[in-house]
């Protein structure tokens, strides 16, 4: 049995691991969020012309949602091989796939050039983006969680989570700069391509850093133990990670999915749908809306490690519940502030929303990692996180835009987010606190349970 607290790695090594995960996730989220912002701002005109503007936006967000549909597939494939081969190899592959697809979008002909083939190709590339991101998140947070000091796992594992606001900050910043210096005609003609082509440079930087880190020591130890068990019992067949997750951790998968609902839905309403709502219903300019998201994303980036550190002191569940309850209570003030049309109120609405979102997002990495044993951790954490995204983040901008089109009012949208908050409160409320769990002890427990299950199966046969 492992000791209750694992020894921390050398600080320099841990910081290098954190930097590799953070830079990689920043680039991947930059690529993913760039698409969402472009979908709200220009894709409706470039790839779905001739439609009513709001209908064009709906169609544009539909291709945006398609990326989420591919994320569970990425979670299954990357989770399986990440639990078999290691975290590092799969993280390199995910970065290449995401960067390649994003760069290709920047070269894509529009509807005016190749007709209906343009939205078809756009959808295919979006599927590749979703597939890659489905495998990225689990590997990035596990690489840090399994390297990190157990006493500060919440803090260190929250740093890859800052890749989301950092990517949002980078994507929104580039778009905001371009819309400020280019005319609407120039941006719609060629300027929108620049941020997508920039991804090629970012990926090269990310690969250089990511290739320099070592594999997770917890994974290497678990792999060595699995090989030793195989050698000792020549007839033993190691179960697929997915099968092991569904046998030992099905309840944890459901909890992770429920915990993601409010976090995922609120995030995409606050950062993606707001570009539609603020510009159409509140009469705010596109530049103003982008700047508000830009400022709020910087605050979001700063508060995530603080929330992660707090989860090390008081637990994952209390911090997560603060975010879930807070985001539900904030929705009506959120839309009321935007409706005023004032820039200061817009910043306040988005910033408070993202600070509350951070209370859920920061402890999520450590929380989900501590639910699963090492040889099924990549699969379990990824499945729980990414399967939820299909029902949560994928349709959130689409549902919010449809509700706005049908009712012309923000009330149904606020109620939609509040319902998601209630689901998350229930899921986290029934979960067990994981703050004091030792990852190696979990491997021992899973091994004992798996041996008992194999004995039971053999008895039945």
């Amino acid at each position: 049995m492992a000791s209750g607290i694992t020894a921390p790695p050398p600080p320099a090594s841990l910081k290098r691991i954190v930097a590799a995960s953070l830079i990689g996730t920043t680039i991947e989220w930059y690529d993913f969020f760039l698409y969402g912002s472009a979908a709200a701002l220009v894709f409706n005109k470039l790839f779905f012309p001739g439609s009513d503007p709001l209908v064009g936006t709906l169609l544009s967000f539909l291709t945006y949602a398609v990326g989420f549909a591919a994320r569970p597939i990425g979670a299954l494939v990357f989770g399986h091989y990440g639990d078999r081969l290691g975290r590092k190899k799969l993280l390199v592959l995910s970065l290449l796939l995401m960067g390649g697809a994003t760069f290709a979008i920047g070269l894509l002909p529009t509807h005016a050039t190749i007709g209906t083939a343009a939205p078809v190709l756009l959808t295919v590339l979006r599927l590749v983006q979703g597939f890659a991101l489905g495998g990225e998140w689990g590997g990035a947070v596990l690489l840090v969680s399994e390297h990190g000091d157990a006493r500060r796992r919440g803090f260190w594992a929250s740093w890859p989570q800052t890749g989301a606001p950092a990517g949002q900050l980078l994507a929104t910043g580039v778009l905001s700069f371009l819309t400020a210096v280019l005319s609407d005609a120039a941006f719609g003609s060629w300027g929108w391509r620049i941020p997508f082509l920039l991804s090629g440079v970012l990926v090269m930087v990310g690969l250089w850093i990511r290739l320099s880190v070592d594999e997770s020591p917890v994974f290497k130890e678990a792999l060595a133990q699995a090989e030793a068990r195989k050698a000792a019992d020549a007839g033993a067949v190691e179960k697929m990670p997915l099968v092991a997750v569904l046998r030992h951790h099905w309840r944890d998968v459901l909890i992770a999915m429920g915990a993601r609902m409010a976090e995922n839905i609120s995030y995409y309403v606050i950062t993606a749908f707001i570009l539609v709502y603020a510009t159409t219903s509140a009469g705010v300019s596109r530049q103003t809306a982008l700047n508000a998201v830009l400022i709020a994303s910087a605050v979001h980036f700063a508060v995530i490690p603080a929330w992660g550190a707090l989860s090390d002191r008081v637990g994952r569940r209390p911090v997560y519940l603060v975010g879930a309850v807070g985001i539900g209570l904030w929705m009506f003030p959120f839309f009321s502030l935007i409706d005023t049309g004032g820039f200061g109120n817009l910043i306040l609405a988005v910033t408070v929303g993202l600070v509350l979102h951070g209370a859920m997002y920061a402890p999520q990495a450590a929380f989900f990692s501590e639910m699963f044993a090492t040889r099924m951790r990549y699969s379990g954490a990824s499945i729980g996180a990414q399967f939820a995204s299909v029902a949560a983040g994928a349709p959130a901008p689409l549902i919010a835009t449809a509700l706005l089109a049908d009712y012309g009012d923000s009330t149904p949208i606020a109620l939609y987010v509040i319902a998601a908050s209630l689901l998350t409160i229930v899921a986290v409320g029934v979960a067990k606190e994981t703050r004091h769990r030792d990852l190696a002890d979990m491997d021992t427990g899973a091994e004992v349970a798996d041996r008992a299950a194999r004995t039971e199966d053999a008895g039945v046969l």
Side-chain angles (χ1 to χ4, degrees):
M1 207 69 150
S3 62
I5 297 293
T6 54
S13 174
L14 182 55
K15 289 177 182 177
R16 188 170 64 251
I17 297 295
V18 170
S21 293
L22 171 57
I23 290 173
T25 53
T26 297
I27 294 168
E28 297 240 8
W29 281 115
Y30 166 80
D31 292 347
F32 204 74
F33 288 142
L34 182 61
Y35 189 103
S37 297
L41 297 173
V42 295
F43 281 178
N44 56 336
K45 302 180 186 71
L46 295 174
F47 293 94
F48 305 98
S51 301
D52 172 86
L54 205 53
V55 173
T57 302
L58 279 168
L59 293 172
S60 184
F61 273 143
L62 187 59
T63 63
Y64 174 77
V66 162
F68 286 84
R71 282 165 69 170
I73 302 172
L76 289 172
V77 174
F78 279 80
H80 174 83
Y81 288 103
D83 282 329
R84 289 292 179 90
L85 305 176
R87 288 58 166 124
K88 178 180 172 178
K89 296 182 180 69
L90 275 296
L91 285 173
V92 169
L93 178 59
S94 71
L95 191 59
L96 285 172
L97 286 174
M98 176 67 88
T102 305
F103 188 82
I105 290 174
L107 301 174
L108 197 63
T110 63
H111 188 279
T113 304
I114 60 173
T116 55
V120 171
L121 290 172
L122 182 67
T123 303
V124 170
L125 292 173
R126 182 60 175 172
L127 283 168
V128 175
Q129 280 191 324
F131 178 79
L133 191 61
E136 162 69 21
W137 180 83
V141 299
L142 294 188
L143 199 63
V144 176
S145 294
E146 294 176 347
H147 271 92
D149 177 359
R151 294 183 181 88
R152 304 186 68 197
R153 186 178 294 128
F155 171 73
W156 289 117
S158 71
W159 278 100
Q161 300 292 76
T162 64
Q168 179 78 64
L169 191 65
L170 188 59
T172 306
V174 171
L175 285 172
S176 181
F177 172 77
L178 290 172
T179 55
V181 300
L182 297 176
S183 66
D184 287 346
F187 183 79
S189 174
W190 56 269
W192 67 271
R193 298 181 183 276
I194 294 174
F196 289 91
L197 298 176
L198 180 61
S199 177
V201 178
L202 297 175
V203 166
M204 293 300 104
V205 175
L207 281 176
W208 175 68
I209 296 173
R210 191 161 272 188
L211 286 169
S212 69
V213 303
D214 294 327
E215 181 56 79
S216 153
V218 174
F219 174 80
K220 288 192 287 188
E221 182 181 350
L223 182 62
Q225 290 173 355
E227 294 298 331
R229 287 195 299 271
K230 268 190 199 175
D233 185 359
V237 178
E238 188 178 10
K239 283 185 171 61
M240 290 177 59
L242 174 61
V243 174
V245 166
L246 296 179
R247 179 187 286 273
H248 300 303
H249 291 288
W250 60 268
R251 183 177 179 274
D252 294 316
V253 169
L254 293 178
I255 287 172
M257 291 176 66
R260 284 275 282 169
M261 298 305 290
E263 177 268 306
N264 217 217
I265 288 173
S266 66
Y267 188 77
Y268 290 104
V269 168
I270 292 169
T271 60
F273 172 71
I274 190 179
L275 298 178
V276 176
Y277 184 82
T279 55
T280 58
S281 294
V284 175
S285 70
R286 177 172 61 186
Q287 183 68 44
T288 299
L290 283 170
N291 287 342
V293 174
L294 189 66
I295 294 168
S297 294
V299 177
H300 194 209
F301 179 91
V303 300
I304 285 177
W307 284 121
L310 184 61
S311 78
D312 286 327
R313 295 179 65 86
V314 303
R316 318 299 183 212
R317 292 172 68 250
V319 176
Y320 212 114
L321 287 171
V322 166
V325 173
I327 204 69
L329 294 175
W330 184 243
M331 275 301 101
F332 280 111
F334 172 79
F335 285 109
S336 295
L337 287 167
I338 295 173
D339 288 338
T340 67
F343 183 52
N345 286 341
L346 186 60
I347 293 174
L348 178 63
V350 181
T351 300
V352 173
L354 288 182
V355 168
L356 292 169
H357 171 270
M360 295 181 282
Y361 199 54
Q364 190 179 97
F367 191 29
F368 289 6
S369 299
E370 291 159 350
M371 289 181 181
F372 304 96
T374 302
R375 292 282 282 165
M376 60 188 86
R377 186 170 292 132
Y378 202 144
S379 295
S382 297
I383 290 168
Q386 304 306 335
F387 272 69
S389 69
V390 176
L398 190 64
I399 290 172
T401 304
L403 290 172
L404 180 63
D406 288 344
Y407 295 95
D409 183 66
S410 63
T411 299
I413 305 166
L415 293 174
Y416 166 53
V417 179
I418 290 169
S421 296
L422 292 174
L423 283 174
T424 293
I425 290 167
V426 171
V428 177
V430 301
K432 296 177 181 178
E433 180 55 59
T434 63
R435 175 167 58 115
H436 295 298
R437 288 184 180 175
D438 183 86
L439 301 184
D441 281 348
M442 292 186 67
D443 293 336
T444 303
E447 178 188 344
V448 172
D450 196 48
R451 284 180 178 175
R454 286 202 302 268
T455 303
E456 181 182 337
D457 290 343
V460 171
L461 294 173

